[in-house]
């Protein structure tokens, strides 16, 4: 078939486009380098299924230049460990941010050590009052329980039955004493924690005040 001038131009353009497309396709061909399960370094142009999770490097098949790399896929245990670490890091970051917020608030709320000490003294005083009142209540419960137990023991000594209501009252007073003892122990633990917290906060307050204090003016050198 005879082609006119326009036909030859179109044919030439198609040939150029085909050559460019072929060259572009060639540049897309890859080689893969990975270490197989036996520890052997392997180069392939098509990655086998059993190497899909292996660490590998990718090369241009024509130039031999490295075009990319893929890290080894994590195992289930490694993914779990990574997720656990990420959660711990996030929790630590949130805790640090909260601590910074508390410290900034402390500097605004308390201008002097006396202000800080006064605030803690109020909390400590309330706890001490609670402990003292609970101690008085405990002494009363113990005294009442001791009296009831003494009466019950005397009744048994003389062969008299202890009335069911008296037995129930003894049980209730014993339970109340145990409950108040637990409450007292918790408040004493809180008091110890609060005292330790104050010592720590006071030390940090001094550090923050020192770091935020204005620098002393420079003293000019004598002439």
């Amino acid at each position: 078939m005879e082609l006119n001038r326009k036909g030859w131009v179109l044919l030439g353009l198609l040939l150029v486009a085909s050559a460019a497309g072929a060259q572009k396709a060639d540049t897309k061909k890859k080689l893969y380098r990975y270490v197989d399960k036996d520890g052997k370094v392997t180069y392939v142009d098509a990655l086998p299924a059993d190497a899909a999770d292996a660490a590998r490097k990718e090369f241009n098949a024509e130039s031999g230049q490295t075009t990319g790399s893929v890290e080894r896929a994590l195992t289930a245990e490694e993914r779990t460990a990574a997720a656990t670490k990420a959660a711990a890091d996030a929790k630590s970051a949130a805790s640090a941010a909260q601590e910074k917020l508390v410290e900034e608030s402390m500097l605004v709320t308390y201008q002097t050590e006396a202000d800080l000490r006064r605030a803690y003294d109020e909390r400590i005083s309330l706890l001490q009052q609670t402990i003292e009142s609970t101690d008085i209540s405990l002494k009363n419960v113990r005294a009442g329980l001791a009296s009831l137990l003494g009466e019950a023991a005397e009744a048994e000594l003389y062969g008299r039955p202890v009335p069911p209501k008296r037995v129930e009252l003894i049980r209730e007073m014993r339970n109340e004493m145990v409950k108040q003892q637990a409450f007292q122990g918790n408040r004493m633990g809180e008091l110890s924690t609060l005292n330790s917290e104050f010592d720590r906060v006071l030390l940090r307050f001094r550090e923050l005040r020192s770091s935020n204090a204005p620098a002393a003016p420079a003293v000019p050198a004598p002439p």
Side-chain angles (χ1 to χ4, degrees):
M1 180 178 61
E2 185 177 352
L3 297 175
N4 57 24
R5 179 179 178 82
K6 184 176 180 181
W8 282 111
V9 171
L10 291 175
L11 180 60
L13 290 175
L14 288 173
L15 290 175
V16 170
S18 298
Q23 184 178 4
K24 186 176 181 181
D26 287 341
T27 58
K28 289 184 178 181
K29 289 183 180 179
K30 293 181 181 179
L31 287 177
Y32 302 92
R33 176 192 181 279
Y34 70 96
V35 179
D36 64 19
K37 61 183 180 180
D38 298 322
K40 179 182 177 182
V41 176
T42 303
Y43 289 86
V44 293
D45 58 1
L47 199 64
D50 60 358
D53 293 336
R56 59 186 180 272
K57 287 187 176 181
E58 299 176 355
F59 301 88
N60 184 292
E62 293 296 324
S63 66
Q65 294 181 343
T66 302
T67 59
S69 62
V70 177
E71 296 295 331
R72 174 181 63 83
L74 299 178
T75 64
E77 292 78 8
E78 289 171 335
R79 288 195 298 271
T80 299
T84 300
K85 183 179 183 304
D89 290 344
K91 184 177 179 180
S92 178
S95 178
Q98 178 64 24
E99 183 177 354
K100 183 178 180 181
L101 184 63
V102 170
E103 290 178 347
E104 291 174 350
S105 175
M106 179 173 62
L107 288 176
V108 173
T109 305
Y110 308 111
Q111 300 301 314
T112 65
E113 288 186 17
D115 294 334
L116 180 63
R117 188 179 298 276
R118 190 178 303 111
Y120 269 87
D121 283 347
E122 291 176 359
R123 295 169 61 189
I124 290 171
S125 177
L126 286 174
L127 267 177
Q128 289 174 334
Q129 291 175 18
T130 301
I131 290 171
E132 289 171 2
S133 62
T134 305
D135 190 55
I136 293 172
S137 179
L138 263 174
K139 288 178 180 178
N140 292 334
V141 172
R142 285 195 191 100
L145 181 59
S147 177
L148 290 174
L149 289 173
E151 292 174 3
E154 184 176 359
E156 290 184 348
L157 181 63
Y158 289 100
R160 297 192 305 270
V162 180
K165 289 185 177 180
R166 184 61 56 87
V167 173
E168 181 63 24
L169 183 58
I170 290 173
R171 183 180 296 111
E172 289 176 358
M173 292 190 71
R174 182 183 289 114
N175 290 340
E176 179 63 21
M177 185 180 69
V178 171
K179 187 166 106 176
Q180 291 195 23
Q181 285 174 334
F183 179 83
Q184 181 83 321
N186 289 336
R187 300 297 81 75
M188 293 179 70
E190 288 178 9
L191 181 60
S192 176
T193 300
L194 190 57
N195 282 316
S196 299
E197 179 185 315
F198 172 71
D199 292 338
R200 177 179 58 81
V201 170
L202 179 60
L203 180 61
R204 183 57 179 158
F205 181 81
R206 289 171 177 170
E207 292 174 349
L208 292 171
R209 280 295 178 202
S210 176
S211 62
N212 286 276
V219 179

